[in-house]
Amino acid sequence: MKVGVDPSLCEAHGECVAILPEVFDLDDDEVLQIREGELASAEEAPAQRAVVACPKGALRLSR
Ligand code: SF4
């Protein structure tokens, strides 16, 4: 499973970073960076929580 962001929707609220900082990070310009590649199995549940928590609906999971 992978997670991606629509940068046109993300407003850098940071809820996703708070939930899963191993995958999500806000850079110095407040642009969301997502770690490349497949999520570890233990990261899938928190990634799903981050998708639900994002107030802009900017995150998507894919297989
Ligand atoms: S929670 Fe949503 S709006 Fe906030 S930084 Fe993450 S993707 Fe962007």
Side-chain angles (χ1 to χ4, degrees):
M1 184 180 285
K2 296 180 181 177
V3 64
V5 64
D6 181 340
S8 71
L9 295 176
C10 175
E11 292 185 351
H13 294 282
E15 280 85 344
C16 56
V17 181
I19 292 170
L20 192 53
E22 296 83 0
V23 172
F24 302 106
D25 187 34
L26 287 171
D27 69 15
D28 292 343
D29 296 322
E30 297 280 287
V31 175
L32 184 68
Q33 306 294 321
I34 298 182
R35 195 191 68 208
E36 298 275 325
E38 289 284 322
L39 295 168
S41 56
E43 293 170 338
E44 292 185 0
Q48 288 171 337
R49 288 202 298 277
V51 169
V52 173
C54 175
K56 302 303 295 181
L59 297 173
R60 290 283 182 275
L61 293 170
S62 61
R63 292 276 174 192

